[in-house]
């Protein structure tokens, strides 16, 4: 049964998470109650599924006008510059990631919005954080500008909740793997590119070394986690910075082995680049016991189940595209 009393604005709706979250929210709240927005043009998968506005979150006045004009009661802010791109332009990454969030939090306070969602990342952790089962509360000394902006952002969320009562909630996403829309500029992007390259060319040149373990999650789990957190009763939410959640942890070598169960001749080459140092600064796995306790988080996909589903869907899309040619 769709929930209809809220009107939602998704900022960054054409991005990797944005597309799938917008579609999931439209199922829950009704198509016309979820306004998709982005600086980029509307993603093809969103076309004709509900309202779309072109919006620059850095322009606070225009954002405020849209919130009032559309009677928005919840904002999902997904636009951000990720870890690898952020290192190429640290000032811009900081400005974009911080000012976008502060604009949204301020408008949420002024307009008394019901809820705000803003994603954090495992990039908040740094070389001094525990590598295995990294806890919710631990040493946090990020070494990328993306990680610094996410950590500062977490504390702005906490501040706006404690000082102004803004019900803002957040998750520290691991690397996210999806087939509907591609990521851009992240360190974990290899785990998305590899499937398409395997299908198209039966080989992949990996920019991380073969035994680099990182926390990862399949997109259906990430979308479900987001909706479950946002639908949880406020009194259950004990973390107002951002929740650790865990799906799986694997290395490039392990994902290659799982791809070989579908494509036995698949070939993997390794040539680590500057993203290796970023990956090496992050934990290999995450302890998500607080999310489990507070709102019942439980992942459904492991590496092989994800690989099977990725190939089913990518093959179906390829056949569809070939039929249309
Ligand atoms: C990145 O690699 O930058 C992102 C992340 C882990 O937040 N996928």
């Amino acid at each position: 049964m769709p929930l209809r009393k809220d009107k939602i604005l998704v900022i960054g709706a054409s991005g990797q998470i944005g597309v799938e979250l917008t579609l999931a929210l439209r199922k829950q709240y009704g198509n016309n109650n979820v306004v998709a927005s982005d600086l980029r043009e509307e993603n093809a998968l969103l076309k004709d599924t509900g309202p779309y506005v072109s919006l620059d979150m850095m322009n606070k006045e225009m954002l405020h006008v849209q919130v009032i004009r559309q009677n928005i009661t919840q904002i999902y802010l997904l636009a951000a510059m990720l870890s690898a791109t952020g290192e190429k332009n640290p000032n811009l990454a900081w400005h974009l990631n911080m000012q976008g969030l502060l604009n949204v939090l301020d408008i949420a306070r002024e307009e008394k919005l019901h809820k705000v969602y803003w994603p954090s990342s495992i990039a908040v952790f740094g070389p001094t954080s525990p590598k295995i089962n990294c806890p919710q509360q631990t040493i946090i000394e990020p070494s990328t500008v993306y990680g610094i902006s996410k950590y500062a952002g977490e504390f702005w969320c906490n501040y706006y909740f404690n000082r102004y009562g803004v019900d803002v909630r957040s998750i520290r996403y691991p690397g996210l793997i999806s087939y509907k829309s591609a990521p851009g500029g992240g360190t974990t992007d290899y785990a998305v590119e590899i499937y398409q390259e395997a299908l198209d060319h039966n080989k992949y040149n990996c920019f991380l070394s073969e035994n680099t373990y990182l926390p990862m999650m399949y997109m259906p789990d990430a979308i479900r986690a987001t909706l479950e957190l946002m639908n949880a009763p406020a009194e259950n939410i004990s973390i107002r910075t951002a929740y650790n959640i865990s799906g799986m942890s694997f290395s490039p070598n392990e994902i290659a082995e799982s791809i070989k169960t579908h494509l036995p001749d698949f070939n993997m080459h390794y040539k680590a680049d500057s993203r290796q140092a970023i990956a090496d600064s992050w934990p290999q796995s995450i302890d998500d016991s607080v999310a489990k306790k507070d709102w019942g988080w439980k992942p459904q996909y492991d590496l092989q189940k994800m690989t099977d589903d990725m190939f089913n869907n990518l093959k179906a899309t390829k056949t569809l595209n070939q039929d249309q040619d």
Side-chain angles (χ1 to χ4, degrees):
M1 170 77 106
L3 303 167
R4 288 189 190 275
K5 58 184 186 311
D6 270 294
K7 183 102 186 266
I8 295 176
L9 176 67
V10 181
I11 301 173
S14 290
Q16 188 198 15
I17 307 169
V19 169
E20 300 207 32
L21 196 52
T22 301
L23 293 172
L25 287 166
R26 283 182 173 160
K27 255 197 203 140
Q28 206 177 91
Y29 288 88
N31 287 350
N32 289 331
N33 294 322
V34 180
V35 180
S37 78
D38 208 296
L39 252 188
R40 291 165 284 188
E41 65 178 48
E42 186 178 20
N43 187 293
L45 294 171
L46 295 180
K47 286 234 155 57
D48 301 324
T49 68
Y52 176 82
V53 291
S54 173
L55 187 68
D56 179 2
M57 66 172 175
M58 304 304 278
N59 186 334
K60 190 177 173 192
E61 251 171 65
M62 287 310 294
L63 177 58
H64 205 155
V65 166
Q66 281 295 344
V67 167
I68 293 170
R69 190 182 288 162
Q70 309 259 6
N71 295 316
I72 296 299
T73 60
Q74 294 191 28
I75 297 181
Y76 285 66
L77 167 54
L78 304 169
M81 194 180 279
L82 299 187
S83 57
T85 315
E87 289 313 287
K88 292 190 186 130
N89 202 337
N91 289 336
L92 183 62
W94 173 257
H95 184 55
L96 204 79
N97 293 355
M98 289 323 310
Q99 200 54 52
L101 174 61
L102 289 173
N103 287 350
V104 166
L105 289 175
D106 251 354
I107 293 169
R109 172 174 66 94
E110 281 174 47
E111 298 305 324
K112 300 195 172 22
L113 298 190
H114 298 169
K115 279 178 203 164
V116 173
Y117 180 75
W118 171 82
S120 185
S121 161
I122 54 140
V124 296
F125 299 117
T128 48
S129 306
K131 284 278 169 218
I132 309 292
N133 286 333
C134 189
Q136 177 72 46
Q137 263 126 3
T138 185
I139 300 169
I140 298 192
E141 296 179 329
S143 59
T144 60
V145 69
Y146 173 65
I148 299 169
S149 73
K150 287 296 179 189
Y151 199 39
E154 287 189 5
F155 278 89
W156 274 116
C157 291
N158 196 47
Y159 184 85
Y160 268 72
F161 172 73
N162 286 320
R163 174 118 197 231
Y164 305 117
V166 175
D167 186 353
V168 47
R169 306 179 184 194
S170 180
I171 283 173
R172 291 172 180 154
Y173 288 131
L176 298 180
I177 293 116
S178 57
Y179 61 88
K180 286 192 183 155
S181 56
T187 303
T188 57
D189 293 5
Y190 89 87
V192 181
E193 295 164 6
I194 193 171
Y195 287 103
Q196 193 66 54
E197 289 293 305
L199 210 54
D200 293 345
H201 307 293
N202 217 4
K203 64 175 175 30
Y204 181 65
N205 295 321
C206 188
F207 57 75
L208 296 182
S209 63
E210 60 182 309
N211 291 319
T212 308
Y213 281 84
L214 285 172
M216 300 281 191
M217 181 171 285
Y218 195 32
M219 189 61 89
D221 269 345
I223 298 297
R224 194 171 46 79
T226 309
L227 298 180
E228 284 176 6
L229 169 65
M230 292 304 278
N231 291 334
E235 60 272 20
N236 290 15
I237 309 299
S238 70
I239 302 291
R240 288 291 176 169
T241 49
Y243 278 97
N244 278 10
I245 60 167
S246 170
M248 58 189 100
S249 170
F250 59 77
S251 63
N253 180 49
E254 286 179 357
I255 195 173
E257 287 306 312
S258 115
I259 285 173
K260 279 185 193 161
T261 62
H262 290 256
L263 300 166
D265 297 330
F266 175 66
N267 236 303
M268 183 92 148
H269 296 282
Y270 298 93
K271 194 167 187 290
D273 66 15
S274 57
R275 287 169 278 193
Q276 184 68 44
I278 300 177
D280 288 341
S281 76
W282 291 345
Q284 297 180 354
S285 59
I286 299 290
D287 172 9
D288 58 0
S289 46
V290 183
K292 284 180 168 144
K293 180 171 93 19
D294 284 5
W295 43 277
W297 166 241
K298 195 170 185 288
Q300 287 177 352
Y301 285 87
D302 60 15
L303 175 57
Q304 195 55 44
K305 195 171 165 197
M306 173 177 78
T307 296
D308 298 345
D309 200 64
M310 281 294 282
F311 276 128
N312 281 342
N313 284 292
L314 288 173
K315 279 181 195 159
T317 314
K318 204 170 173 173
T319 314
L320 195 73
N321 291 343
Q322 276 162 354
D323 288 350
Q324 282 166 356
D325 283 345

